[in-house]
mmCIF file of all heavy atoms in Angstrom:
data_model
loop_
_atom_site.group_PDB
_atom_site.id
_atom_site.type_symbol
_atom_site.label_atom_id
_atom_site.label_comp_id
_atom_site.label_asym_id
_atom_site.label_seq_id
_atom_site.Cartn_x
_atom_site.Cartn_y
_atom_site.Cartn_z
ATOM 1 N N VAL H 241 36.817 -12.662 45.764
ATOM 2 C CA VAL H 241 35.371 -12.628 45.972
ATOM 3 C C VAL H 241 34.614 -11.384 45.249
ATOM 4 O O VAL H 241 33.718 -11.680 44.620
ATOM 5 C CB VAL H 241 35.053 -12.643 47.509
ATOM 6 C CG1 VAL H 241 33.537 -12.559 47.733
ATOM 7 C CG2 VAL H 241 35.530 -13.871 48.202
ATOM 8 N N LEU H 242 35.121 -10.333 45.461
ATOM 9 C CA LEU H 242 34.525 -9.103 44.892
ATOM 10 C C LEU H 242 35.030 -8.901 43.511
ATOM 11 O O LEU H 242 34.445 -8.014 42.678
ATOM 12 C CB LEU H 242 34.671 -7.913 45.639
ATOM 13 C CG LEU H 242 34.352 -7.934 47.140
ATOM 14 C CD1 LEU H 242 34.708 -6.688 47.928
ATOM 15 C CD2 LEU H 242 32.779 -8.109 47.101
ATOM 16 N N ASN H 243 36.158 -9.536 42.987
ATOM 17 C CA ASN H 243 36.812 -9.278 41.823
ATOM 18 C C ASN H 243 37.172 -7.833 41.560
ATOM 19 O O ASN H 243 37.071 -7.336 40.439
ATOM 20 C CB ASN H 243 35.918 -9.792 40.653
ATOM 21 C CG ASN H 243 36.742 -10.187 39.383
ATOM 22 O OD1 ASN H 243 37.937 -10.336 39.426
ATOM 23 N ND2 ASN H 243 36.042 -10.108 38.136
ATOM 24 N N ALA H 244 37.578 -7.185 42.633
ATOM 25 C CA ALA H 244 38.087 -5.837 42.688
ATOM 26 C C ALA H 244 39.259 -5.685 43.626
ATOM 27 O O ALA H 244 39.027 -5.684 44.869
ATOM 28 C CB ALA H 244 36.970 -4.846 43.004
ATOM 29 N N THR H 245 40.453 -5.660 43.149
ATOM 30 C CA THR H 245 41.645 -5.618 44.012
ATOM 31 C C THR H 245 41.768 -4.378 44.733
ATOM 32 O O THR H 245 41.918 -3.294 43.823
ATOM 33 C CB THR H 245 42.929 -6.080 43.309
ATOM 34 O OG1 THR H 245 42.587 -7.397 42.654
ATOM 35 C CG2 THR H 245 44.127 -6.086 44.162
ATOM 36 N N PRO H 246 41.802 -4.199 45.940
ATOM 37 C CA PRO H 246 42.197 -2.875 46.566
ATOM 38 C C PRO H 246 43.639 -2.561 46.321
ATOM 39 O O PRO H 246 44.500 -3.175 46.978
ATOM 40 C CB PRO H 246 41.832 -3.122 48.077
ATOM 41 C CG PRO H 246 41.696 -4.449 48.162
ATOM 42 C CD PRO H 246 41.533 -5.220 46.947
ATOM 43 N N THR H 247 43.958 -1.515 45.595
ATOM 44 C CA THR H 247 45.314 -1.340 45.245
ATOM 45 C C THR H 247 46.122 -0.628 46.291
ATOM 46 O O THR H 247 47.330 -0.657 46.289
ATOM 47 C CB THR H 247 45.342 -0.348 44.016
ATOM 48 O OG1 THR H 247 44.615 0.796 44.184
ATOM 49 C CG2 THR H 247 44.768 -1.035 42.837
ATOM 50 N N TRP H 248 45.450 -0.080 47.262
ATOM 51 C CA TRP H 248 46.202 0.806 48.314
ATOM 52 C C TRP H 248 46.718 -0.184 49.350
ATOM 53 O O TRP H 248 47.786 0.174 50.071
ATOM 54 C CB TRP H 248 45.212 1.648 49.054
ATOM 55 C CG TRP H 248 44.033 0.928 49.602
ATOM 56 C CD1 TRP H 248 42.861 0.719 48.971
ATOM 57 C CD2 TRP H 248 43.961 0.378 50.936
ATOM 58 N NE1 TRP H 248 42.022 0.075 49.862
ATOM 59 C CE2 TRP H 248 42.731 -0.296 51.128
ATOM 60 C CE3 TRP H 248 44.747 0.153 51.961
ATOM 61 C CZ2 TRP H 248 42.256 -0.905 52.123
ATOM 62 C CZ3 TRP H 248 44.387 -0.596 53.177
ATOM 63 C CH2 TRP H 248 43.189 -1.085 53.259
ATOM 64 N N VAL H 249 46.445 -1.444 49.392
ATOM 65 C CA VAL H 249 47.023 -2.371 50.363
ATOM 66 C C VAL H 249 48.445 -2.667 50.330
ATOM 67 O O VAL H 249 49.129 -2.593 51.365
ATOM 68 C CB VAL H 249 46.215 -3.760 50.137
ATOM 69 C CG1 VAL H 249 46.890 -4.813 51.166
ATOM 70 C CG2 VAL H 249 44.792 -3.654 50.664
ATOM 71 N N GLU H 250 49.006 -2.752 49.088
ATOM 72 C CA GLU H 250 50.396 -2.934 49.067
ATOM 73 C C GLU H 250 51.214 -1.870 49.665
ATOM 74 O O GLU H 250 52.169 -2.022 50.273
ATOM 75 C CB GLU H 250 50.800 -3.137 47.419
ATOM 76 C CG GLU H 250 52.410 -3.471 47.262
ATOM 77 C CD GLU H 250 52.662 -3.529 45.897
ATOM 78 O OE1 GLU H 250 51.778 -3.965 44.920
ATOM 79 O OE2 GLU H 250 53.891 -3.529 45.525
ATOM 80 N N GLN H 251 50.858 -0.534 49.253
ATOM 81 C CA GLN H 251 51.593 0.583 49.821
ATOM 82 C C GLN H 251 51.443 0.695 51.291
ATOM 83 O O GLN H 251 52.340 0.978 51.978
ATOM 84 C CB GLN H 251 51.141 1.856 49.075
ATOM 85 C CG GLN H 251 51.343 1.828 47.630
ATOM 86 C CD GLN H 251 52.848 1.772 47.417
ATOM 87 O OE1 GLN H 251 53.664 2.292 48.021
ATOM 88 N NE2 GLN H 251 53.243 1.155 46.325
ATOM 89 N N ALA H 252 50.276 0.555 51.867
ATOM 90 C CA ALA H 252 50.034 0.487 53.204
ATOM 91 C C ALA H 252 50.799 -0.596 53.946
ATOM 92 O O ALA H 252 51.374 -0.439 55.060
ATOM 93 C CB ALA H 252 48.528 0.350 53.635
ATOM 94 N N ALA H 253 50.903 -1.814 53.282
ATOM 95 C CA ALA H 253 51.608 -2.993 53.812
ATOM 96 C C ALA H 253 53.080 -2.674 53.999
ATOM 97 O O ALA H 253 53.795 -3.039 55.043
ATOM 98 C CB ALA H 253 51.423 -4.231 53.006
ATOM 99 N N LEU H 254 53.604 -1.991 52.905
ATOM 100 C CA LEU H 254 55.059 -1.618 52.914
ATOM 101 C C LEU H 254 55.390 -0.597 54.133
ATOM 102 O O LEU H 254 56.401 -0.843 54.855
ATOM 103 C CB LEU H 254 55.518 -1.033 51.677
ATOM 104 C CG LEU H 254 55.570 -2.010 50.423
ATOM 105 C CD1 LEU H 254 55.823 -1.062 49.169
ATOM 106 C CD2 LEU H 254 56.665 -2.954 50.674
ATOM 107 N N LEU H 255 54.507 0.264 54.400
ATOM 108 C CA LEU H 255 54.648 1.194 55.551
ATOM 109 C C LEU H 255 54.560 0.430 56.840
ATOM 110 O O LEU H 255 55.356 0.695 57.771
ATOM 111 C CB LEU H 255 53.561 2.294 55.390
ATOM 112 C CG LEU H 255 53.791 3.488 56.263
ATOM 113 C CD1 LEU H 255 55.082 4.072 56.245
ATOM 114 C CD2 LEU H 255 52.523 4.355 56.130
ATOM 115 N N LEU H 256 53.610 -0.557 57.013
ATOM 116 C CA LEU H 256 53.416 -1.235 58.095
ATOM 117 C C LEU H 256 54.643 -2.111 58.477
ATOM 118 O O LEU H 256 55.086 -2.383 59.486
ATOM 119 C CB LEU H 256 52.170 -2.005 58.211
ATOM 120 C CG LEU H 256 50.987 -1.206 58.284
ATOM 121 C CD1 LEU H 256 49.656 -2.076 58.049
ATOM 122 C CD2 LEU H 256 50.885 -0.557 59.677
ATOM 123 N N VAL H 257 55.243 -2.700 57.326
ATOM 124 C CA VAL H 257 56.414 -3.555 57.582
ATOM 125 C C VAL H 257 57.543 -2.816 58.090
ATOM 126 O O VAL H 257 58.334 -3.338 58.919
ATOM 127 C CB VAL H 257 56.745 -4.290 56.210
ATOM 128 C CG1 VAL H 257 58.033 -4.970 56.212
ATOM 129 C CG2 VAL H 257 55.639 -5.350 55.908
ATOM 130 N N MET H 258 57.754 -1.599 57.590
ATOM 131 C CA MET H 258 58.847 -0.783 58.138
ATOM 132 C C MET H 258 58.655 -0.408 59.600
ATOM 133 O O MET H 258 59.560 -0.497 60.433
ATOM 134 C CB MET H 258 58.806 0.597 57.478
ATOM 135 C CG MET H 258 59.161 0.606 55.919
ATOM 136 S SD MET H 258 60.817 0.017 55.735
ATOM 137 C CE MET H 258 61.733 1.539 56.052
ATOM 138 N N VAL H 259 57.365 -0.136 59.981
ATOM 139 C CA VAL H 259 57.049 0.068 61.389
ATOM 140 C C VAL H 259 57.414 -1.178 62.277
ATOM 141 O O VAL H 259 58.110 -1.084 63.294
ATOM 142 C CB VAL H 259 55.569 0.478 61.686
ATOM 143 C CG1 VAL H 259 55.265 0.557 63.136
ATOM 144 C CG2 VAL H 259 55.398 1.947 61.088
ATOM 145 N N ILE H 260 56.934 -2.275 61.863
ATOM 146 C CA ILE H 260 57.120 -3.533 62.565
ATOM 147 C C ILE H 260 58.633 -3.972 62.665
ATOM 148 O O ILE H 260 59.170 -4.235 63.845
ATOM 149 C CB ILE H 260 56.332 -4.710 61.879
ATOM 150 C CG1 ILE H 260 54.791 -4.436 62.053
ATOM 151 C CG2 ILE H 260 56.804 -6.023 62.526
ATOM 152 C CD1 ILE H 260 54.001 -5.377 61.159
ATOM 153 N N ALA H 261 59.356 -3.900 61.513
ATOM 154 C CA ALA H 261 60.740 -4.283 61.637
ATOM 155 C C ALA H 261 61.583 -3.328 62.438
ATOM 156 O O ALA H 261 62.379 -3.798 63.155
ATOM 157 C CB ALA H 261 61.307 -4.230 60.086
ATOM 158 N N PHE H 262 61.475 -2.113 62.134
ATOM 159 C CA PHE H 262 62.474 -1.152 62.881
ATOM 160 C C PHE H 262 61.951 -0.947 64.403
ATOM 161 O O PHE H 262 62.974 -1.002 65.293
ATOM 162 C CB PHE H 262 62.468 0.177 62.219
ATOM 163 C CG PHE H 262 63.234 0.241 61.026
ATOM 164 C CD1 PHE H 262 62.786 0.302 59.685
ATOM 165 C CD2 PHE H 262 64.716 0.074 61.037
ATOM 166 C CE1 PHE H 262 63.476 0.219 58.602
ATOM 167 C CE2 PHE H 262 65.473 -0.013 59.983
ATOM 168 C CZ PHE H 262 64.812 0.019 58.673
ATOM 169 N N LEU H 263 60.789 -0.782 64.715
ATOM 170 C CA LEU H 263 60.404 -0.780 66.192
ATOM 171 C C LEU H 263 60.718 -2.119 66.874
ATOM 172 O O LEU H 263 61.186 -2.182 68.071
ATOM 173 C CB LEU H 263 58.979 -0.332 66.361
ATOM 174 C CG LEU H 263 58.631 1.194 65.948
ATOM 175 C CD1 LEU H 263 57.192 1.433 66.403
ATOM 176 C CD2 LEU H 263 59.585 2.134 66.734
ATOM 177 N N GLY H 264 60.463 -3.129 66.217
ATOM 178 C CA GLY H 264 60.746 -4.500 66.773
ATOM 179 C C GLY H 264 62.224 -4.638 66.951
ATOM 180 O O GLY H 264 62.693 -5.276 67.978
ATOM 181 N N ALA H 265 63.084 -4.142 66.011
ATOM 182 C CA ALA H 265 64.570 -4.279 66.270
ATOM 183 C C ALA H 265 64.949 -3.471 67.429
ATOM 184 O O ALA H 265 65.919 -3.826 68.238
ATOM 185 C CB ALA H 265 65.270 -3.697 65.036
ATOM 186 N N ALA H 266 64.329 -2.237 67.669
ATOM 187 C CA ALA H 266 64.831 -1.437 68.763
ATOM 188 C C ALA H 266 64.332 -2.063 70.122
ATOM 189 O O ALA H 266 65.180 -2.106 71.072
ATOM 190 C CB ALA H 266 64.182 -0.033 68.735
ATOM 191 N N VAL H 267 63.146 -2.753 70.169
ATOM 192 C CA VAL H 267 62.775 -3.440 71.387
ATOM 193 C C VAL H 267 63.675 -4.685 71.629
ATOM 194 O O VAL H 267 64.096 -4.991 72.635
ATOM 195 C CB VAL H 267 61.349 -3.898 71.225
ATOM 196 C CG1 VAL H 267 60.932 -4.837 72.287
ATOM 197 C CG2 VAL H 267 60.338 -2.743 71.197
ATOM 198 N N GLY H 268 64.136 -5.243 70.563
ATOM 199 C CA GLY H 268 65.134 -6.512 70.588
ATOM 200 C C GLY H 268 66.357 -5.954 71.264
ATOM 201 O O GLY H 268 67.035 -6.673 72.032
ATOM 202 N N VAL H 269 66.766 -4.721 71.052
ATOM 203 C CA VAL H 269 68.033 -4.246 71.609
ATOM 204 C C VAL H 269 67.877 -4.030 73.025
ATOM 205 O O VAL H 269 68.656 -4.482 74.001
ATOM 206 C CB VAL H 269 68.478 -2.873 70.931
ATOM 207 C CG1 VAL H 269 69.518 -2.187 71.690
ATOM 208 C CG2 VAL H 269 69.043 -3.174 69.485
ATOM 209 N N HIS H 270 66.604 -3.373 73.456
ATOM 210 C CA HIS H 270 66.291 -3.268 74.838
ATOM 211 C C HIS H 270 66.266 -4.474 75.682
ATOM 212 O O HIS H 270 66.688 -4.592 76.791
ATOM 213 C CB HIS H 270 65.087 -2.459 74.983
ATOM 214 C CG HIS H 270 64.643 -2.216 76.335
ATOM 215 N ND1 HIS H 270 65.287 -1.393 77.203
ATOM 216 C CD2 HIS H 270 63.536 -2.636 77.013
ATOM 217 C CE1 HIS H 270 64.718 -1.264 78.364
ATOM 218 N NE2 HIS H 270 63.667 -2.055 78.277
ATOM 219 N N GLU H 271 65.670 -5.510 75.111
ATOM 220 C CA GLU H 271 65.397 -6.773 75.659
ATOM 221 C C GLU H 271 66.548 -7.752 75.560
ATOM 222 O O GLU H 271 66.273 -9.036 75.915
ATOM 223 C CB GLU H 271 63.945 -7.316 75.353
ATOM 224 C CG GLU H 271 62.931 -6.368 75.710
ATOM 225 C CD GLU H 271 61.566 -6.882 75.289
ATOM 226 O OE1 GLU H 271 61.453 -7.921 74.366
ATOM 227 O OE2 GLU H 271 60.561 -6.358 75.743
ATOM 228 N N HIS H 272 67.603 -7.409 74.915
ATOM 229 C CA HIS H 272 68.777 -8.256 74.818
ATOM 230 C C HIS H 272 68.390 -9.538 73.911
ATOM 231 O O HIS H 272 68.986 -10.577 74.061
ATOM 232 C CB HIS H 272 69.347 -8.797 76.114
ATOM 233 C CG HIS H 272 69.249 -7.740 77.112
ATOM 234 N ND1 HIS H 272 69.989 -6.528 77.101
ATOM 235 C CD2 HIS H 272 68.510 -7.681 78.322
ATOM 236 C CE1 HIS H 272 69.687 -5.861 78.172
ATOM 237 N NE2 HIS H 272 68.864 -6.563 78.921
ATOM 238 N N SER H 273 67.490 -9.351 72.860
ATOM 239 C CA SER H 273 67.158 -10.408 72.044
ATOM 240 C C SER H 273 67.432 -10.180 70.615
ATOM 241 O O SER H 273 67.000 -10.959 69.733
ATOM 242 C CB SER H 273 65.680 -10.820 72.319
ATOM 243 O OG SER H 273 64.889 -9.617 71.868
ATOM 244 N N HIS H 274 68.102 -9.152 70.319
ATOM 245 C CA HIS H 274 68.389 -8.813 68.989
ATOM 246 C C HIS H 274 69.972 -8.568 68.822
ATOM 247 O O HIS H 274 70.538 -7.894 69.785
ATOM 248 C CB HIS H 274 67.694 -7.424 68.494
ATOM 249 C CG HIS H 274 67.785 -7.166 67.148
ATOM 250 N ND1 HIS H 274 67.213 -7.933 66.057
ATOM 251 C CD2 HIS H 274 68.468 -6.098 66.463
ATOM 252 C CE1 HIS H 274 67.540 -7.440 64.955
ATOM 253 N NE2 HIS H 274 68.191 -6.286 65.145
ATOM 254 N N LEU H 275 70.483 -8.963 67.701
ATOM 255 C CA LEU H 275 71.938 -8.799 67.399
ATOM 256 C C LEU H 275 72.712 -9.470 68.507
ATOM 257 O O LEU H 275 73.788 -8.754 68.994
ATOM 258 C CB LEU H 275 72.295 -7.326 67.149
ATOM 259 C CG LEU H 275 71.606 -6.664 66.107
ATOM 260 C CD1 LEU H 275 71.884 -5.173 66.063
ATOM 261 C CD2 LEU H 275 71.986 -7.196 64.680
ATOM 262 N N SER H 276 72.270 -10.477 68.984
ATOM 263 C CA SER H 276 72.949 -11.110 70.187
ATOM 264 C C SER H 276 74.040 -12.002 69.716
ATOM 265 O O SER H 276 74.063 -12.773 68.790
ATOM 266 C CB SER H 276 71.873 -11.910 70.932
ATOM 267 O OG SER H 276 72.415 -12.460 72.168
ATOM 268 N N VAL H 277 75.186 -11.856 70.594
ATOM 269 C CA VAL H 277 76.324 -12.625 70.292
ATOM 270 C C VAL H 277 76.662 -13.321 71.759
ATOM 271 O O VAL H 277 77.716 -13.578 72.133
ATOM 272 C CB VAL H 277 77.484 -11.932 69.853
ATOM 273 C CG1 VAL H 277 77.451 -11.540 68.516
ATOM 274 C CG2 VAL H 277 77.813 -10.701 70.855
ATOM 275 N N THR H 278 75.594 -13.810 72.353
ATOM 276 C CA THR H 278 75.683 -14.469 73.695
ATOM 277 C C THR H 278 76.466 -15.725 73.721
ATOM 278 O O THR H 278 77.179 -15.941 74.649
ATOM 279 C CB THR H 278 74.482 -14.568 74.402
ATOM 280 O OG1 THR H 278 73.533 -15.454 73.576
ATOM 281 C CG2 THR H 278 73.714 -13.438 74.678
ATOM 282 N N ALA H 279 76.361 -16.477 72.643
ATOM 283 C CA ALA H 279 77.122 -17.827 72.668
ATOM 284 C C ALA H 279 78.572 -17.564 72.750
ATOM 285 O O ALA H 279 79.323 -18.141 73.385
ATOM 286 C CB ALA H 279 76.729 -18.613 71.457
ATOM 287 N N LEU H 280 78.981 -16.661 71.811
ATOM 288 C CA LEU H 280 80.522 -16.227 71.791
ATOM 289 C C LEU H 280 80.929 -15.580 73.118
ATOM 290 O O LEU H 280 82.057 -15.893 73.769
ATOM 291 C CB LEU H 280 80.816 -15.286 70.654
ATOM 292 C CG LEU H 280 82.261 -14.818 70.602
ATOM 293 C CD1 LEU H 280 83.196 -15.993 70.327
ATOM 294 C CD2 LEU H 280 82.376 -13.854 69.505
ATOM 295 N N ARG H 281 80.030 -14.724 73.622
ATOM 296 C CA ARG H 281 80.335 -14.015 74.956
ATOM 297 C C ARG H 281 80.539 -14.980 76.052
ATOM 298 O O ARG H 281 81.342 -14.903 76.951
ATOM 299 C CB ARG H 281 79.537 -12.884 75.211
ATOM 300 C CG ARG H 281 79.576 -11.780 74.298
ATOM 301 C CD ARG H 281 79.029 -10.508 74.746
ATOM 302 N NE ARG H 281 77.456 -10.675 75.107
ATOM 303 C CZ ARG H 281 76.571 -9.674 74.853
ATOM 304 N NH1 ARG H 281 76.972 -8.562 74.134
ATOM 305 N NH2 ARG H 281 75.466 -9.824 75.303
ATOM 306 N N SER H 282 79.687 -15.971 75.996
ATOM 307 C CA SER H 282 79.538 -17.045 77.104
ATOM 308 C C SER H 282 80.773 -17.986 77.065
ATOM 309 O O SER H 282 81.137 -18.514 78.222
ATOM 310 C CB SER H 282 78.379 -17.783 77.142
ATOM 311 O OG SER H 282 77.157 -16.947 77.331
ATOM 312 N N ALA H 283 81.325 -18.170 75.969
ATOM 313 C CA ALA H 283 82.541 -19.067 75.810
ATOM 314 C C ALA H 283 83.940 -18.503 76.255
ATOM 315 O O ALA H 283 84.863 -19.263 76.210
ATOM 316 C CB ALA H 283 82.494 -19.552 74.367
ATOM 317 N N VAL H 284 83.935 -17.181 76.424
ATOM 318 C CA VAL H 284 85.224 -16.624 76.640
ATOM 319 C C VAL H 284 85.310 -16.262 78.149
ATOM 320 O O VAL H 284 84.339 -16.234 78.912
ATOM 321 C CB VAL H 284 85.431 -15.258 75.699
ATOM 322 C CG1 VAL H 284 85.419 -15.686 74.277
ATOM 323 C CG2 VAL H 284 84.320 -14.327 76.005
ATOM 324 N N PRO H 285 86.516 -16.104 78.670
ATOM 325 C CA PRO H 285 86.789 -15.669 79.974
ATOM 326 C C PRO H 285 86.060 -14.287 80.363
ATOM 327 O O PRO H 285 85.877 -13.535 79.425
ATOM 328 C CB PRO H 285 88.376 -15.543 80.150
ATOM 329 C CG PRO H 285 88.860 -16.354 78.961
ATOM 330 C CD PRO H 285 87.780 -16.146 77.889
ATOM 331 N N THR H 286 85.952 -13.990 81.631
ATOM 332 C CA THR H 286 85.123 -12.929 82.076
ATOM 333 C C THR H 286 85.736 -11.534 81.574
ATOM 334 O O THR H 286 85.016 -10.794 81.285
ATOM 335 C CB THR H 286 85.014 -12.822 83.661
ATOM 336 O OG1 THR H 286 84.469 -14.181 84.008
ATOM 337 C CG2 THR H 286 84.238 -11.808 84.124
ATOM 338 N N TRP H 287 87.033 -11.455 81.569
ATOM 339 C CA TRP H 287 87.620 -10.101 81.344
ATOM 340 C C TRP H 287 87.377 -9.852 79.736
ATOM 341 O O TRP H 287 87.214 -8.700 79.423
ATOM 342 C CB TRP H 287 89.125 -10.083 81.626
ATOM 343 C CG TRP H 287 90.077 -10.953 80.833
ATOM 344 C CD1 TRP H 287 90.337 -12.374 81.121
ATOM 345 C CD2 TRP H 287 90.675 -10.701 79.695
ATOM 346 N NE1 TRP H 287 91.276 -12.805 80.204
ATOM 347 C CE2 TRP H 287 91.385 -11.747 79.331
ATOM 348 C CE3 TRP H 287 90.794 -9.370 78.986
ATOM 349 C CZ2 TRP H 287 92.270 -11.771 78.229
ATOM 350 C CZ3 TRP H 287 91.650 -9.564 77.845
ATOM 351 C CH2 TRP H 287 92.374 -10.656 77.486
ATOM 352 N N ILE H 288 87.412 -10.927 78.912
ATOM 353 C CA ILE H 288 87.129 -10.766 77.490
ATOM 354 C C ILE H 288 85.562 -10.406 77.354
ATOM 355 O O ILE H 288 85.282 -9.615 76.515
ATOM 356 C CB ILE H 288 87.600 -11.810 76.718
ATOM 357 C CG1 ILE H 288 89.168 -12.081 76.885
ATOM 358 C CG2 ILE H 288 87.227 -11.779 75.224
ATOM 359 C CD1 ILE H 288 89.622 -13.274 76.101
#
C-alpha cells in the first residue's frame, strides 16, 4: 500500500519466533504436551 517496506520487521520477527518457540517448548514440558512418548509408555508393562 505505502510502497515502503519496513526493513526492521524481519529482524524483530526472528527474535519473536525465538521467544515463541523456546518458551512454548518449556511450557510443553511442564504440561506434558511436548516431547511426549506416551503411546510407547502406555503400551508397555507398568514396571517398564
Side-chain angles (χ1 to χ4, degrees):
V241 176
L242 301 177
N243 203 23
T245 302
T247 55
W248 58 268
V249 170
E250 183 179 338
Q251 296 301 322
L254 289 172
L255 189 57
L256 288 170
V257 165
M258 295 292 285
V259 170
I260 293 165
F262 282 109
L263 289 183
V267 170
V269 168
H270 177 67
E271 295 178 348
H272 325 293
S273 61
H274 187 67
L275 300 172
S276 182
V277 289
T278 58
L280 178 62
R281 291 195 306 215
S282 297
V284 297
T286 303
W287 69 272
I288 296 175

